[in-house]
């Protein structure tokens, strides 16, 4: 694994290895076992969009592993004044050991990897959010004991989070169903990748406009905001379009008994999910948020301290 940009470049075996390492790191942290695997290493974190979880979990993760992280607001570095991604990549490669970037255009992340000489981690683009999907699988396995054979239903906008989940679930042999209104389904290349992986694993990929079809028999219900960063101007139209996809108690009742609820956060109660669900017994959202830390520490170790 050279970069962590797009799950299509990660094999099922690499994914399982990351999940096992993340579990180990979590257990070690809780038991007070610390190690300095990344002593002397510096992660640059470029943010062109807001973040709570990604920023803090990467920064804390680097510190726990004995390294350090630099927060680089894209507007504060020369990138924000028009210095090219290619030049930025070549310069930062001389100072840093890895870069995590959260931005709009996925191509910018690919360009960083193409022009730089250090590992690049995708901390969310308009296209995908692979770190989130890894932490999601970790959370599902923690609560359900397994991944293969489970069904995850994602309801709402076929956005960056949904794209990465499709790819992640398909790689580990989970059935994955995305219910979204016409025109708001997942990215075609992510769908194709998920279908290819699911065929290898013997699992299913379902794309539908019918939320009940997706939720039926699901072990995991998942939703995300209807208005992603950069789409604020479309809010009224989106809220109207997605209302039938809200995860509420009636939607939870369509899933299997014992189904869990996940949301990458930040959440908007009363829109994509009701308070009764997100604050209810099926919700594991804060374990999910915590697991960003452990999953990303696993990614950092595999990229920066390969065996
Ligand atoms: N889920 C997630 O990536 O959260 P932040 O936007 O707070 O980083
Ligand atoms: N889909 C959301 C995820 C936030 C973590 C967004 O892109 O804003």
């Amino acid at each position: 694994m050279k970069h962590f940009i797009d799950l299509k470049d990660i094999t099922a075996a690499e994914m399982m290895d990351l999940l096992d390492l993340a579990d180990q790191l979590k257990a070690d942290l809780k038991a007070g076992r610390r190690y300095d695997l990344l002593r002397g290493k510096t992660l640059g974190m470029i943010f062109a969009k807001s973040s709570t979880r990604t920023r803090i979990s990467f920064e804390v993760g680097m510190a726990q592993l004995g390294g350090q992280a630099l927060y680089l607001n894209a507007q504060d570095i020369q990138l924000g004044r028009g210095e090219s991604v290619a030049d930025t990549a070549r310069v930062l490669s001389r100072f840093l050991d890895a870069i995590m970037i959260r931005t709009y255009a996925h191509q910018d992340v690919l360009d960083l990897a193409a022009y730089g000489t250090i590992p690049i981690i995708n901390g969310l683009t308009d296209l995908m959010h692979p770190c989130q999907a890894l932490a999601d699988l970790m959370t599902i396995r923690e609560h359900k004991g397994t991944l293969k054979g489970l069904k995850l239903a994602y309801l709402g906008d076929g956005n960056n989070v949904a794209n990465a989940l499709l790819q992640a679930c398909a790689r580990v042999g989970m059935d994955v169903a995305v219910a979204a209104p016409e025109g708001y389904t997942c990215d075609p290349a992510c769908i194709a990748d998920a279908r290819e992986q699911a065929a290898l694993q013997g699992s299913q990929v379902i794309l539908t406009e019918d939320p009940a079809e997706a939720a039926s028999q699901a072990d995991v219900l998942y939703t995300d905001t209807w208005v992603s960063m950069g789409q604020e101007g479309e809010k009224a139209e989106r809220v109207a379009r997605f209302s039938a996809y809200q995860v509420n108690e009636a939607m939870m009742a369509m899933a299997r008994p014992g189904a869990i609820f996940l949301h990458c956060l930040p959440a908007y109660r009363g829109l994509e999910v009701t308070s009764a669900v997100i604050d209810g017994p099926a919700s594991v959202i804060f374990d999910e948020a915590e697991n960003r830390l452990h999953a990303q520490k696993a990614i950092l170790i595999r990229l920066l301290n390969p065996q």
Side-chain angles (χ1 to χ4, degrees):
M1 204 171 80
K2 266 179 74 184
H3 303 287
F4 192 82
I5 294 176
D6 183 332
L7 295 177
K8 82 171 161 36
D9 302 322
I10 311 285
T11 64
E14 283 169 334
M15 182 92 77
M16 294 314 292
D17 166 65
L18 286 169
L19 291 172
D20 290 345
L21 179 57
D23 283 349
Q24 183 67 49
L25 290 163
K26 183 170 185 174
D28 285 347
L29 186 69
K30 307 268 174 203
R33 288 187 291 272
R34 296 288 189 115
Y35 23 78
D36 284 354
L37 285 171
L38 302 186
R39 176 160 297 287
K41 307 270 189 190
T42 305
L43 173 75
M45 309 189 300
I46 303 174
F47 282 94
K49 292 176 174 170
S50 305
S51 170
T52 297
R53 282 142 289 266
T54 305
R55 175 177 174 180
I56 297 164
S57 55
F58 268 108
E59 188 158 342
V60 169
M62 279 304 287
Q64 288 179 356
L65 292 167
Q68 62 173 334
L70 293 181
Y71 173 73
L72 306 167
N73 186 314
Q75 284 309 310
D76 294 343
I77 58 175
Q78 298 288 8
L79 195 58
R81 292 182 61 251
E83 186 168 15
S84 72
V85 173
D87 285 351
T88 303
R90 288 181 282 215
V91 171
L92 293 185
S93 294
R94 303 291 179 104
F95 300 133
L96 301 169
D97 297 287
I99 297 171
M100 190 285 299
I101 178 166
R102 165 168 289 195
T103 192
Y104 295 87
H106 190 74
Q107 188 60 44
D108 286 350
V109 184
L110 299 176
D111 287 348
L112 269 187
Y115 291 98
T117 54
I118 56 178
I120 305 298
I121 300 170
N122 177 356
L124 178 148
T125 62
D126 288 347
L127 185 61
M128 52 184 68
H129 196 1
C131 293
Q132 181 68 54
L134 189 68
D136 296 339
L137 292 185
M138 179 180 177
T139 311
I140 295 165
R141 193 166 72 161
E142 207 167 61
H143 283 273
K144 291 281 167 196
T146 184
L147 292 172
K148 205 171 173 66
L150 296 181
K151 177 181 178 185
L152 179 143
Y154 177 98
L155 305 163
D157 188 15
N159 62 14
N160 42 13
V161 168
N163 287 332
L165 274 174
L166 261 186
Q167 295 180 300
C169 292
R171 274 175 174 67
V172 298
M174 286 174 67
D175 292 339
V176 52
V178 174
E182 192 190 350
Y184 292 93
T185 197
C186 289
D187 171 72
C190 294
I191 297 172
D193 169 69
R195 291 217 157 110
E196 207 173 287
Q197 290 296 319
L200 293 173
Q201 299 287 338
S203 61
Q204 280 195 67
V205 174
I206 301 155
L207 280 306
T208 176
E209 288 174 34
D210 177 6
E213 184 191 348
S216 160
Q217 297 299 310
D219 302 283
V220 183
L221 287 196
Y222 198 121
T223 191
D224 181 20
T225 181
W226 295 336
V227 186
S228 284
M229 290 179 276
Q231 298 171 338
E232 291 76 7
E234 299 169 29
K235 181 168 179 187
E237 178 192 332
R238 285 176 161 270
V239 167
R241 203 67 210 282
F242 288 111
S243 61
Y245 297 82
Q246 182 188 65
V247 180
N248 48 35
E249 285 169 304
M251 194 75 85
M252 284 302 294
M254 292 187 213
R256 284 215 167 98
I260 55 173
F261 171 76
L262 268 70
H263 189 309
C264 61
L265 304 179
Y268 300 90
R269 287 166 171 76
L271 292 177
E272 75 272 9
V273 61
T274 58
S275 296
V277 169
I278 197 165
D279 300 323
S283 176
V284 296
I285 54 165
F286 298 115
D287 290 339
E288 181 186 7
E290 178 191 331
N291 286 340
R292 294 290 303 281
L293 171 69
H294 312 299
Q296 289 159 194
K297 281 167 74 180
I299 295 168
L300 290 164
I301 290 170
R302 285 294 181 255
L303 289 176
L304 286 172
N305 193 10
Q307 308 293 325

